[in-house]
Amino acid sequence: MKRNLFFMYSISFFQGMVFYSSIATLYRQAAGISIFQITMIESISLVLSFAFEIPWGVLADRIGYRRTMIVCSALFFISKIIFWKAQGFADFLLERVLLAIVISGLSGVDTSILYLSCSEDDSQRAFGIYEGLGTAGLLSAAAIYTVFIEENYRAAGFLTVISYGIAVILSFGLKEVKATQKGERMSFGHSLTILKETLFNRSLLFLIAGVAFLSEVNQTITVFFNQLQYTKAGMSARLISGVYILMTLSGLVSVFSAPLTKRLKPKFFGAILFVVCIFSCLMLAFTDNPFISVFGVLLVRVCFSLMSPLGTELQNKVITTIDRATALSMSALIMDLLAVFTNLVFGKLAEFDLSTAMCFGGFLCILGVGLYLNGLKKLGC
């Protein structure tokens, strides 16, 4: 349904418009919470996301994906109101609790709506546009903040509330794509059956693990290690801020994922992206040059932006159960568990030596490409 695609793209854009994204930590500190409290809240939020992941998938398959999107968009909106008005630890904790509920609720539902609203051949393109518009929303908000808002943190919070309010309104325009039956209930036994199907679907597990490793390398290097690498290379805070905009812009390449995949085929295109990431990690491990450092981080970001729509499409293709949201939630849970392990190793290695941590990123990409290619082989791709 083209109508659904329009509304999903629009929702992605407006939910990407987080006007305080570049000063989120400063915003919280100005409202009276410390860095330690911020990290504590993030940890609690991560645990809650794990806890809500599968129950939300089960519920979404029972009440329908449209209703789930509406509920989650409304909770998202409420969480932004709380963030806007927050004045201490308890308020920000409440905001993150709601956010954990929302993220686990949307997990698998948004991509299921996109996948079921277009032909199978166009799904990767739809995922790429969806992610690209989210990035475009973030860039638009960052530009408005820089030009008009400057250091008025609360104004940034208020504009984010307005943007998310628009997203709630847009969610009512969606049409249901999953048939539900009145009085239908999800038994515990059926949930276990889907979990068993997921765990014993080797193609899906290999693909999940392969993409998860690339995802964690991207998340760790482009969000956390990049600043350490830039500092190591002698870059100023002003220059690092400018590079942040460049990195955000690079996320727009996701719209090219589908045409490139069709030209090169999933096996060859995916392998190229993994190999480039391996090269980038090793390059970052052995340089303190600012230009090479920025180029290396940029390559990681671009590769994941191109892989993400392809990985999402392949996961949807492998799933055979009609309870798609539940299966995708279980896939997300497996990816989250892998993320916990890799985060701990990354953090410990970085404390010892940043170059060693970058090499570990390259090692994860080597594992990732092997798993990815094995998953495709079992799919006959």
Side-chain angles (χ1 to χ4, degrees), residues 128-158:
I129 295 173
Y130 182 70
E131 293 182 15
L133 283 171
T135 301
L138 180 61
L139 282 168
S140 300
I144 292 171
Y145 177 85
T146 301
V147 176
F148 298 106
I149 303 175
E150 296 182 353
E151 295 184 4
N152 191 339
Y153 299 163
R154 293 295 176 178
F158 175 71

PDB file of all heavy atoms in Angstrom, residues 128-158:
ATOM      1  N   GLY A 128      15.508   1.455   2.974  1.00  0.00           N
ATOM      2  CA  GLY A 128      16.540   2.469   2.770  1.00  0.00           C
ATOM      3  C   GLY A 128      15.980   3.878   2.837  1.00  0.00           C
ATOM      4  O   GLY A 128      16.571   4.768   3.465  1.00  0.00           O
ATOM      5  N   ILE A 129      14.828   4.095   2.199  1.00  0.00           N
ATOM      6  CA  ILE A 129      14.184   5.413   2.235  1.00  0.00           C
ATOM      7  C   ILE A 129      13.742   5.753   3.651  1.00  0.00           C
ATOM      8  O   ILE A 129      13.908   6.888   4.122  1.00  0.00           O
ATOM      9  CB  ILE A 129      12.978   5.451   1.274  1.00  0.00           C
ATOM     10  CG1 ILE A 129      13.459   5.295  -0.174  1.00  0.00           C
ATOM     11  CG2 ILE A 129      12.194   6.751   1.440  1.00  0.00           C
ATOM     12  CD1 ILE A 129      12.329   5.153  -1.178  1.00  0.00           C
ATOM     13  N   TYR A 130      13.190   4.761   4.345  1.00  0.00           N
ATOM     14  CA  TYR A 130      12.721   4.947   5.731  1.00  0.00           C
ATOM     15  C   TYR A 130      13.870   5.408   6.632  1.00  0.00           C
ATOM     16  O   TYR A 130      13.728   6.384   7.388  1.00  0.00           O
ATOM     17  CB  TYR A 130      12.143   3.620   6.227  1.00  0.00           C
ATOM     18  CG  TYR A 130      11.568   3.649   7.629  1.00  0.00           C
ATOM     19  CD1 TYR A 130      10.392   4.332   7.900  1.00  0.00           C
ATOM     20  CD2 TYR A 130      12.185   2.951   8.667  1.00  0.00           C
ATOM     21  CE1 TYR A 130       9.844   4.342   9.174  1.00  0.00           C
ATOM     22  CE2 TYR A 130      11.652   2.951   9.939  1.00  0.00           C
ATOM     23  CZ  TYR A 130      10.476   3.644  10.195  1.00  0.00           C
ATOM     24  OH  TYR A 130       9.948   3.645  11.462  1.00  0.00           O
ATOM     25  N   GLU A 131      15.001   4.736   6.542  1.00  0.00           N
ATOM     26  CA  GLU A 131      16.158   5.119   7.355  1.00  0.00           C
ATOM     27  C   GLU A 131      16.746   6.458   6.903  1.00  0.00           C
ATOM     28  O   GLU A 131      17.161   7.279   7.724  1.00  0.00           O
ATOM     29  CB  GLU A 131      17.224   4.021   7.296  1.00  0.00           C
ATOM     30  CG  GLU A 131      16.789   2.725   7.967  1.00  0.00           C
ATOM     31  CD  GLU A 131      17.880   1.663   7.948  1.00  0.00           C
ATOM     32  OE1 GLU A 131      19.040   2.022   7.678  1.00  0.00           O
ATOM     33  OE2 GLU A 131      17.569   0.484   8.210  1.00  0.00           O
ATOM     34  N   GLY A 132      16.755   6.673   5.584  1.00  0.00           N
ATOM     35  CA  GLY A 132      17.285   7.924   5.058  1.00  0.00           C
ATOM     36  C   GLY A 132      16.479   9.128   5.510  1.00  0.00           C
ATOM     37  O   GLY A 132      17.042  10.183   5.839  1.00  0.00           O
ATOM     38  N   LEU A 133      15.158   8.992   5.563  1.00  0.00           N
ATOM     39  CA  LEU A 133      14.315  10.108   5.990  1.00  0.00           C
ATOM     40  C   LEU A 133      14.468  10.376   7.486  1.00  0.00           C
ATOM     41  O   LEU A 133      14.347  11.523   7.935  1.00  0.00           O
ATOM     42  CB  LEU A 133      12.851   9.829   5.633  1.00  0.00           C
ATOM     43  CG  LEU A 133      12.523  10.042   4.148  1.00  0.00           C
ATOM     44  CD1 LEU A 133      11.126   9.540   3.816  1.00  0.00           C
ATOM     45  CD2 LEU A 133      12.649  11.516   3.780  1.00  0.00           C
ATOM     46  N   GLY A 134      14.735   9.323   8.266  1.00  0.00           N
ATOM     47  CA  GLY A 134      15.016   9.530   9.686  1.00  0.00           C
ATOM     48  C   GLY A 134      16.280  10.367   9.856  1.00  0.00           C
ATOM     49  O   GLY A 134      16.332  11.283  10.694  1.00  0.00           O
ATOM     50  N   THR A 135      17.289  10.064   9.046  1.00  0.00           N
ATOM     51  CA  THR A 135      18.527  10.840   9.074  1.00  0.00           C
ATOM     52  C   THR A 135      18.284  12.271   8.597  1.00  0.00           C
ATOM     53  O   THR A 135      18.830  13.230   9.160  1.00  0.00           O
ATOM     54  CB  THR A 135      19.591  10.181   8.179  1.00  0.00           C
ATOM     55  OG1 THR A 135      19.836   8.847   8.632  1.00  0.00           O
ATOM     56  CG2 THR A 135      20.897  10.967   8.207  1.00  0.00           C
ATOM     57  N   ALA A 136      17.449  12.424   7.559  1.00  0.00           N
ATOM     58  CA  ALA A 136      17.126  13.760   7.045  1.00  0.00           C
ATOM     59  C   ALA A 136      16.422  14.595   8.119  1.00  0.00           C
ATOM     60  O   ALA A 136      16.673  15.802   8.254  1.00  0.00           O
ATOM     61  CB  ALA A 136      16.236  13.645   5.810  1.00  0.00           C
ATOM     62  N   GLY A 137      15.552  13.956   8.898  1.00  0.00           N
ATOM     63  CA  GLY A 137      14.883  14.654   9.994  1.00  0.00           C
ATOM     64  C   GLY A 137      15.873  15.127  11.038  1.00  0.00           C
ATOM     65  O   GLY A 137      15.786  16.257  11.547  1.00  0.00           O
ATOM     66  N   LEU A 138      16.836  14.258  11.370  1.00  0.00           N
ATOM     67  CA  LEU A 138      17.868  14.606  12.349  1.00  0.00           C
ATOM     68  C   LEU A 138      18.712  15.775  11.861  1.00  0.00           C
ATOM     69  O   LEU A 138      19.013  16.705  12.619  1.00  0.00           O
ATOM     70  CB  LEU A 138      18.757  13.388  12.618  1.00  0.00           C
ATOM     71  CG  LEU A 138      19.903  13.573  13.620  1.00  0.00           C
ATOM     72  CD1 LEU A 138      19.369  13.942  14.990  1.00  0.00           C
ATOM     73  CD2 LEU A 138      20.739  12.300  13.700  1.00  0.00           C
ATOM     74  N   LEU A 139      19.075  15.746  10.582  1.00  0.00           N
ATOM     75  CA  LEU A 139      19.873  16.826  10.008  1.00  0.00           C
ATOM     76  C   LEU A 139      19.097  18.140   9.996  1.00  0.00           C
ATOM     77  O   LEU A 139      19.654  19.212  10.292  1.00  0.00           O
ATOM     78  CB  LEU A 139      20.290  16.465   8.584  1.00  0.00           C
ATOM     79  CG  LEU A 139      21.442  15.477   8.446  1.00  0.00           C
ATOM     80  CD1 LEU A 139      21.555  14.990   7.002  1.00  0.00           C
ATOM     81  CD2 LEU A 139      22.754  16.123   8.873  1.00  0.00           C
ATOM     82  N   SER A 140      17.822  18.076   9.644  1.00  0.00           N
ATOM     83  CA  SER A 140      16.991  19.281   9.632  1.00  0.00           C
ATOM     84  C   SER A 140      16.905  19.893  11.017  1.00  0.00           C
ATOM     85  O   SER A 140      17.027  21.113  11.182  1.00  0.00           O
ATOM     86  CB  SER A 140      15.582  18.938   9.125  1.00  0.00           C
ATOM     87  OG  SER A 140      15.620  18.410   7.821  1.00  0.00           O
ATOM     88  N   ALA A 141      16.703  19.042  12.020  1.00  0.00           N
ATOM     89  CA  ALA A 141      16.622  19.529  13.395  1.00  0.00           C
ATOM     90  C   ALA A 141      17.940  20.133  13.845  1.00  0.00           C
ATOM     91  O   ALA A 141      17.968  21.181  14.515  1.00  0.00           O
ATOM     92  CB  ALA A 141      16.221  18.381  14.322  1.00  0.00           C
ATOM     93  N   ALA A 142      19.054  19.501  13.467  1.00  0.00           N
ATOM     94  CA  ALA A 142      20.374  20.011  13.845  1.00  0.00           C
ATOM     95  C   ALA A 142      20.632  21.373  13.210  1.00  0.00           C
ATOM     96  O   ALA A 142      21.190  22.280  13.847  1.00  0.00           O
ATOM     97  CB  ALA A 142      21.453  19.023  13.413  1.00  0.00           C
ATOM     98  N   ALA A 143      20.205  21.537  11.949  1.00  0.00           N
ATOM     99  CA  ALA A 143      20.393  22.814  11.256  1.00  0.00           C
ATOM    100  C   ALA A 143      19.565  23.912  11.912  1.00  0.00           C
ATOM    101  O   ALA A 143      20.044  25.030  12.129  1.00  0.00           O
ATOM    102  CB  ALA A 143      20.008  22.669   9.782  1.00  0.00           C
ATOM    103  N   ILE A 144      18.306  23.606  12.243  1.00  0.00           N
ATOM    104  CA  ILE A 144      17.432  24.587  12.899  1.00  0.00           C
ATOM    105  C   ILE A 144      17.988  24.971  14.262  1.00  0.00           C
ATOM    106  O   ILE A 144      17.991  26.144  14.646  1.00  0.00           O
ATOM    107  CB  ILE A 144      16.004  24.021  13.026  1.00  0.00           C
ATOM    108  CG1 ILE A 144      15.372  23.885  11.636  1.00  0.00           C
ATOM    109  CG2 ILE A 144      15.137  24.928  13.913  1.00  0.00           C
ATOM    110  CD1 ILE A 144      14.055  23.148  11.628  1.00  0.00           C
ATOM    111  N   TYR A 145      18.487  23.964  14.999  1.00  0.00           N
ATOM    112  CA  TYR A 145      19.065  24.243  16.317  1.00  0.00           C
ATOM    113  C   TYR A 145      20.261  25.187  16.198  1.00  0.00           C
ATOM    114  O   TYR A 145      20.378  26.161  16.942  1.00  0.00           O
ATOM    115  CB  TYR A 145      19.499  22.944  16.993  1.00  0.00           C
ATOM    116  CG  TYR A 145      20.181  23.170  18.321  1.00  0.00           C
ATOM    117  CD1 TYR A 145      19.436  23.315  19.480  1.00  0.00           C
ATOM    118  CD2 TYR A 145      21.575  23.291  18.400  1.00  0.00           C
ATOM    119  CE1 TYR A 145      20.055  23.556  20.696  1.00  0.00           C
ATOM    120  CE2 TYR A 145      22.198  23.542  19.608  1.00  0.00           C
ATOM    121  CZ  TYR A 145      21.433  23.669  20.753  1.00  0.00           C
ATOM    122  OH  TYR A 145      22.051  23.934  21.954  1.00  0.00           O
ATOM    123  N   THR A 146      21.140  24.894  15.244  1.00  0.00           N
ATOM    124  CA  THR A 146      22.361  25.686  15.082  1.00  0.00           C
ATOM    125  C   THR A 146      22.055  27.134  14.709  1.00  0.00           C
ATOM    126  O   THR A 146      22.663  28.071  15.233  1.00  0.00           O
ATOM    127  CB  THR A 146      23.264  25.057  13.998  1.00  0.00           C
ATOM    128  OG1 THR A 146      23.583  23.713  14.385  1.00  0.00           O
ATOM    129  CG2 THR A 146      24.549  25.848  13.834  1.00  0.00           C
ATOM    130  N   VAL A 147      21.074  27.332  13.819  1.00  0.00           N
ATOM    131  CA  VAL A 147      20.784  28.667  13.289  1.00  0.00           C
ATOM    132  C   VAL A 147      19.885  29.486  14.212  1.00  0.00           C
ATOM    133  O   VAL A 147      20.114  30.674  14.446  1.00  0.00           O
ATOM    134  CB  VAL A 147      20.144  28.566  11.888  1.00  0.00           C
ATOM    135  CG1 VAL A 147      19.760  29.950  11.371  1.00  0.00           C
ATOM    136  CG2 VAL A 147      21.100  27.895  10.917  1.00  0.00           C
ATOM    137  N   PHE A 148      18.851  28.852  14.775  1.00  0.00           N
ATOM    138  CA  PHE A 148      17.827  29.612  15.485  1.00  0.00           C
ATOM    139  C   PHE A 148      17.800  29.433  17.006  1.00  0.00           C
ATOM    140  O   PHE A 148      17.391  30.335  17.730  1.00  0.00           O
ATOM    141  CB  PHE A 148      16.439  29.247  14.936  1.00  0.00           C
ATOM    142  CG  PHE A 148      16.261  29.574  13.486  1.00  0.00           C
ATOM    143  CD1 PHE A 148      16.255  28.567  12.538  1.00  0.00           C
ATOM    144  CD2 PHE A 148      16.117  30.885  13.058  1.00  0.00           C
ATOM    145  CE1 PHE A 148      16.086  28.857  11.184  1.00  0.00           C
ATOM    146  CE2 PHE A 148      15.952  31.190  11.712  1.00  0.00           C
ATOM    147  CZ  PHE A 148      15.942  30.172  10.773  1.00  0.00           C
ATOM    148  N   ILE A 149      18.229  28.271  17.508  1.00  0.00           N
ATOM    149  CA  ILE A 149      18.031  27.978  18.932  1.00  0.00           C
ATOM    150  C   ILE A 149      19.274  28.253  19.754  1.00  0.00           C
ATOM    151  O   ILE A 149      19.203  28.814  20.857  1.00  0.00           O
ATOM    152  CB  ILE A 149      17.587  26.504  19.123  1.00  0.00           C
ATOM    153  CG1 ILE A 149      16.303  26.236  18.319  1.00  0.00           C
ATOM    154  CG2 ILE A 149      17.351  26.210  20.600  1.00  0.00           C
ATOM    155  CD1 ILE A 149      15.862  24.795  18.355  1.00  0.00           C
ATOM    156  N   GLU A 150      20.416  27.856  19.239  1.00  0.00           N
ATOM    157  CA  GLU A 150      21.709  28.013  19.910  1.00  0.00           C
ATOM    158  C   GLU A 150      21.695  27.338  21.289  1.00  0.00           C
ATOM    159  O   GLU A 150      21.593  26.133  21.363  1.00  0.00           O
ATOM    160  CB  GLU A 150      22.085  29.488  19.995  1.00  0.00           C
ATOM    161  CG  GLU A 150      22.299  30.108  18.607  1.00  0.00           C
ATOM    162  CD  GLU A 150      22.719  31.554  18.676  1.00  0.00           C
ATOM    163  OE1 GLU A 150      22.732  32.137  19.777  1.00  0.00           O
ATOM    164  OE2 GLU A 150      23.039  32.104  17.602  1.00  0.00           O
ATOM    165  N   GLU A 151      21.763  28.093  22.402  1.00  0.00           N
ATOM    166  CA  GLU A 151      21.910  27.475  23.726  1.00  0.00           C
ATOM    167  C   GLU A 151      20.609  27.399  24.525  1.00  0.00           C
ATOM    168  O   GLU A 151      20.629  27.130  25.721  1.00  0.00           O
ATOM    169  CB  GLU A 151      22.973  28.223  24.529  1.00  0.00           C
ATOM    170  CG  GLU A 151      24.359  28.112  23.919  1.00  0.00           C
ATOM    171  CD  GLU A 151      25.415  28.773  24.773  1.00  0.00           C
ATOM    172  OE1 GLU A 151      25.071  29.249  25.875  1.00  0.00           O
ATOM    173  OE2 GLU A 151      26.586  28.791  24.360  1.00  0.00           O
ATOM    174  N   ASN A 152      19.478  27.619  23.884  1.00  0.00           N
ATOM    175  CA  ASN A 152      18.181  27.517  24.567  1.00  0.00           C
ATOM    176  C   ASN A 152      17.731  26.056  24.557  1.00  0.00           C
ATOM    177  O   ASN A 152      16.977  25.622  23.692  1.00  0.00           O
ATOM    178  CB  ASN A 152      17.150  28.407  23.883  1.00  0.00           C
ATOM    179  CG  ASN A 152      15.864  28.549  24.692  1.00  0.00           C
ATOM    180  OD1 ASN A 152      15.575  27.719  25.553  1.00  0.00           O
ATOM    181  ND2 ASN A 152      15.111  29.594  24.421  1.00  0.00           N
ATOM    182  N   TYR A 153      18.210  25.307  25.537  1.00  0.00           N
ATOM    183  CA  TYR A 153      17.961  23.867  25.583  1.00  0.00           C
ATOM    184  C   TYR A 153      16.474  23.534  25.665  1.00  0.00           C
ATOM    185  O   TYR A 153      15.988  22.609  25.003  1.00  0.00           O
ATOM    186  CB  TYR A 153      18.689  23.238  26.776  1.00  0.00           C
ATOM    187  CG  TYR A 153      20.189  23.379  26.746  1.00  0.00           C
ATOM    188  CD1 TYR A 153      20.947  23.173  27.901  1.00  0.00           C
ATOM    189  CD2 TYR A 153      20.870  23.705  25.578  1.00  0.00           C
ATOM    190  CE1 TYR A 153      22.339  23.299  27.885  1.00  0.00           C
ATOM    191  CE2 TYR A 153      22.251  23.835  25.551  1.00  0.00           C
ATOM    192  CZ  TYR A 153      22.978  23.633  26.712  1.00  0.00           C
ATOM    193  OH  TYR A 153      24.344  23.762  26.698  1.00  0.00           O
ATOM    194  N   ARG A 154      15.741  24.253  26.481  1.00  0.00           N
ATOM    195  CA  ARG A 154      14.319  23.957  26.661  1.00  0.00           C
ATOM    196  C   ARG A 154      13.522  24.198  25.376  1.00  0.00           C
ATOM    197  O   ARG A 154      12.555  23.485  25.099  1.00  0.00           O
ATOM    198  CB  ARG A 154      13.747  24.799  27.803  1.00  0.00           C
ATOM    199  CG  ARG A 154      14.298  24.430  29.173  1.00  0.00           C
ATOM    200  CD  ARG A 154      13.895  23.016  29.580  1.00  0.00           C
ATOM    201  NE  ARG A 154      14.506  22.628  30.849  1.00  0.00           N
ATOM    202  CZ  ARG A 154      14.308  21.473  31.468  1.00  0.00           C
ATOM    203  NH1 ARG A 154      13.523  20.566  30.929  1.00  0.00           N
ATOM    204  NH2 ARG A 154      14.910  21.195  32.609  1.00  0.00           N
ATOM    205  N   ALA A 155      13.930  25.178  24.597  1.00  0.00           N
ATOM    206  CA  ALA A 155      13.269  25.419  23.314  1.00  0.00           C
ATOM    207  C   ALA A 155      13.485  24.226  22.382  1.00  0.00           C
ATOM    208  O   ALA A 155      12.578  23.818  21.643  1.00  0.00           O
ATOM    209  CB  ALA A 155      13.814  26.696  22.667  1.00  0.00           C
ATOM    210  N   ALA A 156      14.684  23.651  22.437  1.00  0.00           N
ATOM    211  CA  ALA A 156      14.967  22.456  21.636  1.00  0.00           C
ATOM    212  C   ALA A 156      14.071  21.299  22.076  1.00  0.00           C
ATOM    213  O   ALA A 156      13.570  20.539  21.243  1.00  0.00           O
ATOM    214  CB  ALA A 156      16.442  22.074  21.784  1.00  0.00           C
ATOM    215  N   GLY A 157      13.877  21.172  23.385  1.00  0.00           N
ATOM    216  CA  GLY A 157      12.991  20.130  23.901  1.00  0.00           C
ATOM    217  C   GLY A 157      11.553  20.339  23.458  1.00  0.00           C
ATOM    218  O   GLY A 157      10.859  19.387  23.079  1.00  0.00           O
ATOM    219  N   PHE A 158      11.084  21.598  23.470  1.00  0.00           N
ATOM    220  CA  PHE A 158       9.711  21.904  23.080  1.00  0.00           C
ATOM    221  C   PHE A 158       9.476  21.606  21.600  1.00  0.00           C
ATOM    222  O   PHE A 158       8.448  21.022  21.218  1.00  0.00           O
ATOM    223  CB  PHE A 158       9.400  23.368  23.374  1.00  0.00           C
ATOM    224  CG  PHE A 158       8.048  23.810  22.890  1.00  0.00           C
ATOM    225  CD1 PHE A 158       6.889  23.359  23.519  1.00  0.00           C
ATOM    226  CD2 PHE A 158       7.933  24.652  21.793  1.00  0.00           C
ATOM    227  CE1 PHE A 158       5.636  23.752  23.059  1.00  0.00           C
ATOM    228  CE2 PHE A 158       6.689  25.042  21.327  1.00  0.00           C
ATOM    229  CZ  PHE A 158       5.536  24.598  21.966  1.00  0.00           C
TER     230      PHE A 158
END
